[in-house]
Short mmCIF file of all heavy atoms in Angstrom, two decimals:
data_model
loop_
_atom_site.label_atom_id
_atom_site.label_comp_id
_atom_site.label_asym_id
_atom_site.label_seq_id
_atom_site.Cartn_x
_atom_site.Cartn_y
_atom_site.Cartn_z
N GLY A 58 7.87 11.65 -8.23
CA GLY A 58 9.01 10.79 -7.96
C GLY A 58 8.65 9.56 -7.12
O GLY A 58 9.36 8.58 -7.11
N LYS A 59 7.53 9.61 -6.41
CA LYS A 59 7.11 8.50 -5.55
C LYS A 59 6.29 7.47 -6.30
O LYS A 59 6.02 6.40 -5.79
CB LYS A 59 6.28 9.01 -4.36
CG LYS A 59 7.03 9.92 -3.45
CD LYS A 59 7.90 9.11 -2.54
CE LYS A 59 8.56 10.04 -1.53
NZ LYS A 59 9.50 9.38 -0.70
N ARG A 60 5.85 7.80 -7.51
CA ARG A 60 5.05 6.85 -8.28
C ARG A 60 5.97 5.91 -9.03
O ARG A 60 7.01 6.30 -9.53
CB ARG A 60 4.15 7.59 -9.26
CG ARG A 60 3.03 8.29 -8.53
CD ARG A 60 2.10 8.92 -9.49
NE ARG A 60 2.73 10.14 -9.97
CZ ARG A 60 2.52 10.66 -11.15
NH1 ARG A 60 1.70 10.11 -11.98
NH2 ARG A 60 3.12 11.77 -11.52
N SER A 61 5.56 4.70 -9.13
CA SER A 61 6.39 3.70 -9.81
C SER A 61 5.82 3.39 -11.18
O SER A 61 4.71 2.91 -11.30
CB SER A 61 6.44 2.43 -8.96
OG SER A 61 7.08 1.42 -9.69
N ALA A 62 6.60 3.64 -12.20
CA ALA A 62 6.18 3.29 -13.55
C ALA A 62 6.20 1.78 -13.74
O ALA A 62 5.61 1.24 -14.65
CB ALA A 62 7.09 3.96 -14.57
N GLU A 63 6.89 1.08 -12.84
CA GLU A 63 7.00 -0.36 -12.97
C GLU A 63 5.71 -1.09 -12.62
O GLU A 63 5.61 -2.29 -12.86
CB GLU A 63 8.13 -0.91 -12.07
CG GLU A 63 9.51 -0.56 -12.58
CD GLU A 63 9.97 0.79 -12.07
OE1 GLU A 63 9.70 1.13 -10.90
OE2 GLU A 63 10.59 1.51 -12.84
N THR A 64 4.73 -0.41 -12.01
CA THR A 64 3.50 -1.12 -11.66
C THR A 64 2.84 -1.66 -12.91
O THR A 64 2.22 -2.72 -12.86
CB THR A 64 2.51 -0.20 -10.92
OG1 THR A 64 2.14 0.87 -11.78
CG2 THR A 64 3.08 0.31 -9.62
N GLY A 65 2.96 -0.94 -14.02
CA GLY A 65 2.41 -1.41 -15.28
C GLY A 65 0.90 -1.42 -15.31
O GLY A 65 0.32 -1.78 -16.31
N ARG A 66 0.26 -1.06 -14.24
CA ARG A 66 -1.19 -1.07 -14.20
C ARG A 66 -1.74 0.25 -14.74
O ARG A 66 -1.30 1.31 -14.36
CB ARG A 66 -1.68 -1.24 -12.76
CG ARG A 66 -1.46 -2.63 -12.25
CD ARG A 66 -2.04 -2.86 -10.88
NE ARG A 66 -3.19 -2.03 -10.58
CZ ARG A 66 -3.54 -1.66 -9.37
NH1 ARG A 66 -2.84 -2.05 -8.33
NH2 ARG A 66 -4.60 -0.91 -9.18
N MET A 67 -2.68 0.13 -15.63
CA MET A 67 -3.37 1.29 -16.17
C MET A 67 -4.78 0.84 -16.46
O MET A 67 -4.99 -0.24 -17.02
CB MET A 67 -2.68 1.80 -17.43
CG MET A 67 -3.26 3.09 -17.98
SD MET A 67 -4.77 2.95 -18.96
CE MET A 67 -4.28 1.86 -20.26
N THR A 68 -5.74 1.64 -16.03
CA THR A 68 -7.14 1.30 -16.24
C THR A 68 -7.88 2.52 -16.73
O THR A 68 -7.80 3.59 -16.11
CB THR A 68 -7.78 0.83 -14.90
OG1 THR A 68 -7.02 -0.24 -14.37
CG2 THR A 68 -9.21 0.39 -15.11
N TRP A 69 -8.59 2.37 -17.84
CA TRP A 69 -9.49 3.44 -18.27
C TRP A 69 -10.66 3.44 -17.30
O TRP A 69 -11.23 2.39 -16.99
CB TRP A 69 -9.95 3.21 -19.70
CG TRP A 69 -8.87 3.58 -20.67
CD1 TRP A 69 -7.90 2.76 -21.16
CD2 TRP A 69 -8.63 4.86 -21.23
NE1 TRP A 69 -7.07 3.46 -22.00
CE2 TRP A 69 -7.50 4.75 -22.07
CE3 TRP A 69 -9.26 6.11 -21.12
CZ2 TRP A 69 -6.99 5.83 -22.78
CZ3 TRP A 69 -8.76 7.17 -21.83
CH2 TRP A 69 -7.62 7.03 -22.65
N THR A 70 -11.00 4.63 -16.81
CA THR A 70 -11.98 4.76 -15.74
C THR A 70 -12.97 5.86 -16.09
O THR A 70 -12.59 6.90 -16.62
CB THR A 70 -11.27 5.10 -14.41
OG1 THR A 70 -10.28 4.10 -14.16
CG2 THR A 70 -12.23 5.17 -13.25
N LEU A 71 -14.25 5.61 -15.78
CA LEU A 71 -15.29 6.62 -15.93
C LEU A 71 -15.48 7.28 -14.58
O LEU A 71 -15.71 6.60 -13.58
CB LEU A 71 -16.60 5.98 -16.40
CG LEU A 71 -17.75 6.96 -16.65
CD1 LEU A 71 -17.40 7.93 -17.79
CD2 LEU A 71 -19.02 6.20 -16.98
N ILE A 72 -15.34 8.60 -14.56
CA ILE A 72 -15.42 9.38 -13.32
C ILE A 72 -16.51 10.43 -13.46
O ILE A 72 -16.60 11.10 -14.50
CB ILE A 72 -14.07 10.05 -13.03
CG1 ILE A 72 -13.03 8.97 -12.74
CG2 ILE A 72 -14.18 11.05 -11.89
CD1 ILE A 72 -11.64 9.48 -12.55
N ARG A 73 -17.32 10.56 -12.42
CA ARG A 73 -18.32 11.63 -12.37
C ARG A 73 -17.86 12.65 -11.34
O ARG A 73 -17.55 12.31 -10.20
CB ARG A 73 -19.70 11.11 -11.98
CG ARG A 73 -20.74 12.22 -11.96
CD ARG A 73 -22.15 11.70 -11.66
NE ARG A 73 -23.09 12.78 -11.52
CZ ARG A 73 -23.80 13.31 -12.50
NH1 ARG A 73 -23.69 12.83 -13.73
NH2 ARG A 73 -24.63 14.31 -12.27
N LEU A 74 -17.78 13.91 -11.78
CA LEU A 74 -17.43 15.03 -10.93
C LEU A 74 -18.67 15.89 -10.75
O LEU A 74 -19.31 16.27 -11.74
CB LEU A 74 -16.34 15.88 -11.59
CG LEU A 74 -15.05 15.18 -12.00
CD1 LEU A 74 -14.23 16.08 -12.91
CD2 LEU A 74 -14.26 14.83 -10.76
N GLU A 75 -19.02 16.20 -9.50
CA GLU A 75 -20.18 17.06 -9.21
C GLU A 75 -19.70 18.29 -8.46
O GLU A 75 -18.79 18.19 -7.61
CB GLU A 75 -21.22 16.31 -8.39
CG GLU A 75 -21.84 15.16 -9.14
CD GLU A 75 -22.89 14.40 -8.34
OE1 GLU A 75 -23.13 14.74 -7.16
OE2 GLU A 75 -23.47 13.45 -8.92
N LEU A 76 -20.32 19.42 -8.76
CA LEU A 76 -19.94 20.68 -8.13
C LEU A 76 -20.00 20.53 -6.61
O LEU A 76 -21.01 20.10 -6.05
CB LEU A 76 -20.87 21.81 -8.59
CG LEU A 76 -20.48 23.21 -8.15
CD1 LEU A 76 -19.12 23.62 -8.73
CD2 LEU A 76 -21.55 24.21 -8.58
N ALA A 77 -18.90 20.87 -5.95
CA ALA A 77 -18.80 20.77 -4.50
C ALA A 77 -19.46 22.00 -3.85
O ALA A 77 -19.86 22.95 -4.54
CB ALA A 77 -17.33 20.67 -4.09
N ARG A 78 -19.54 21.96 -2.54
CA ARG A 78 -20.12 23.08 -1.81
C ARG A 78 -19.38 24.37 -2.11
O ARG A 78 -18.15 24.38 -2.24
CB ARG A 78 -20.07 22.82 -0.31
CG ARG A 78 -20.94 21.67 0.10
CD ARG A 78 -20.93 21.50 1.59
NE ARG A 78 -19.58 21.13 2.02
CZ ARG A 78 -19.25 20.87 3.26
NH1 ARG A 78 -20.15 20.95 4.21
NH2 ARG A 78 -18.01 20.53 3.56
N SER A 79 -20.15 25.45 -2.22
CA SER A 79 -19.58 26.77 -2.47
C SER A 79 -20.58 27.80 -1.94
O SER A 79 -21.66 27.45 -1.48
CB SER A 79 -19.36 26.97 -3.98
OG SER A 79 -20.60 27.00 -4.67
N ARG A 80 -20.21 29.07 -2.02
CA ARG A 80 -21.16 30.13 -1.62
C ARG A 80 -22.44 30.06 -2.44
O ARG A 80 -23.53 30.20 -1.92
CB ARG A 80 -20.52 31.50 -1.81
CG ARG A 80 -19.99 32.06 -0.53
CD ARG A 80 -19.53 33.48 -0.71
NE ARG A 80 -18.19 33.51 -0.15
CZ ARG A 80 -17.21 34.24 -0.57
NH1 ARG A 80 -17.39 35.06 -1.57
NH2 ARG A 80 -16.04 34.18 0.00
N GLU A 81 -22.27 29.86 -3.75
CA GLU A 81 -23.43 29.79 -4.64
C GLU A 81 -24.28 28.56 -4.40
O GLU A 81 -25.50 28.59 -4.55
CB GLU A 81 -22.98 29.77 -6.10
CG GLU A 81 -22.26 31.02 -6.56
CD GLU A 81 -21.66 30.80 -7.93
OE1 GLU A 81 -20.60 30.13 -8.00
OE2 GLU A 81 -22.25 31.29 -8.91
N PHE A 82 -23.62 27.45 -4.03
CA PHE A 82 -24.30 26.16 -3.84
C PHE A 82 -23.84 25.55 -2.52
O PHE A 82 -22.94 24.69 -2.51
CB PHE A 82 -23.99 25.22 -5.02
CG PHE A 82 -24.52 25.71 -6.33
CD1 PHE A 82 -23.71 26.45 -7.18
CD2 PHE A 82 -25.83 25.46 -6.70
CE1 PHE A 82 -24.19 26.92 -8.39
CE2 PHE A 82 -26.32 25.92 -7.91
CZ PHE A 82 -25.50 26.65 -8.76
N PRO A 83 -24.44 25.96 -1.40
CA PRO A 83 -23.99 25.48 -0.08
C PRO A 83 -24.06 23.96 0.09
O PRO A 83 -23.31 23.40 0.89
CB PRO A 83 -24.94 26.17 0.90
CG PRO A 83 -25.56 27.30 0.16
CD PRO A 83 -25.49 26.95 -1.30
N GLU A 84 -24.90 23.29 -0.67
CA GLU A 84 -25.00 21.83 -0.61
C GLU A 84 -24.32 21.16 -1.80
O GLU A 84 -24.44 19.95 -1.98
CB GLU A 84 -26.48 21.40 -0.55
CG GLU A 84 -27.23 21.96 0.64
CD GLU A 84 -26.61 21.54 1.96
OE1 GLU A 84 -26.25 20.35 2.10
OE2 GLU A 84 -26.46 22.40 2.84
N GLY A 85 -23.65 21.94 -2.62
CA GLY A 85 -23.10 21.42 -3.85
C GLY A 85 -24.20 21.32 -4.89
O GLY A 85 -25.33 21.75 -4.66
N SER A 86 -23.90 20.78 -6.06
CA SER A 86 -24.90 20.66 -7.11
C SER A 86 -24.61 19.49 -8.03
O SER A 86 -23.72 19.57 -8.87
CB SER A 86 -24.97 21.94 -7.94
OG SER A 86 -25.87 21.79 -9.02
N PRO A 87 -25.38 18.38 -7.88
CA PRO A 87 -25.19 17.27 -8.81
C PRO A 87 -25.64 17.61 -10.23
O PRO A 87 -25.28 16.91 -11.17
CB PRO A 87 -26.04 16.15 -8.21
CG PRO A 87 -26.89 16.76 -7.17
CD PRO A 87 -26.31 18.09 -6.82
N ALA A 88 -26.40 18.69 -10.40
CA ALA A 88 -26.84 19.11 -11.73
C ALA A 88 -25.70 19.76 -12.52
O ALA A 88 -25.77 19.85 -13.74
CB ALA A 88 -28.01 20.08 -11.62
N HIS A 89 -24.65 20.21 -11.83
CA HIS A 89 -23.45 20.77 -12.47
C HIS A 89 -22.38 19.69 -12.39
O HIS A 89 -21.81 19.46 -11.31
CB HIS A 89 -22.97 22.03 -11.75
CG HIS A 89 -23.94 23.16 -11.83
ND1 HIS A 89 -25.01 23.29 -10.98
CD2 HIS A 89 -23.98 24.22 -12.67
CE1 HIS A 89 -25.67 24.39 -11.29
NE2 HIS A 89 -25.08 24.97 -12.31
#
């Protein structure tokens, strides 16, 4: 409800997600 559809701005974006810290990977893992 707080977002405004009137902004009219839309951008296709390339996003990289890397595995965050976890028990298995205490430092995270850019390979995942």
Side-chain angles (χ1 to χ4, degrees):
K59 297 281 185 186
R60 288 184 283 151
S61 172
E63 288 87 39
T64 62
R66 287 185 29 207
M67 186 280 302
T68 305
W69 283 90
T70 305
L71 183 63
I72 294 175
R73 181 176 174 90
L74 304 167
E75 295 180 358
L76 187 63
R78 294 184 295 182
S79 66
R80 260 188 231 147
E81 296 170 283
F82 296 94
E84 300 301 316
S86 175
H89 295 83

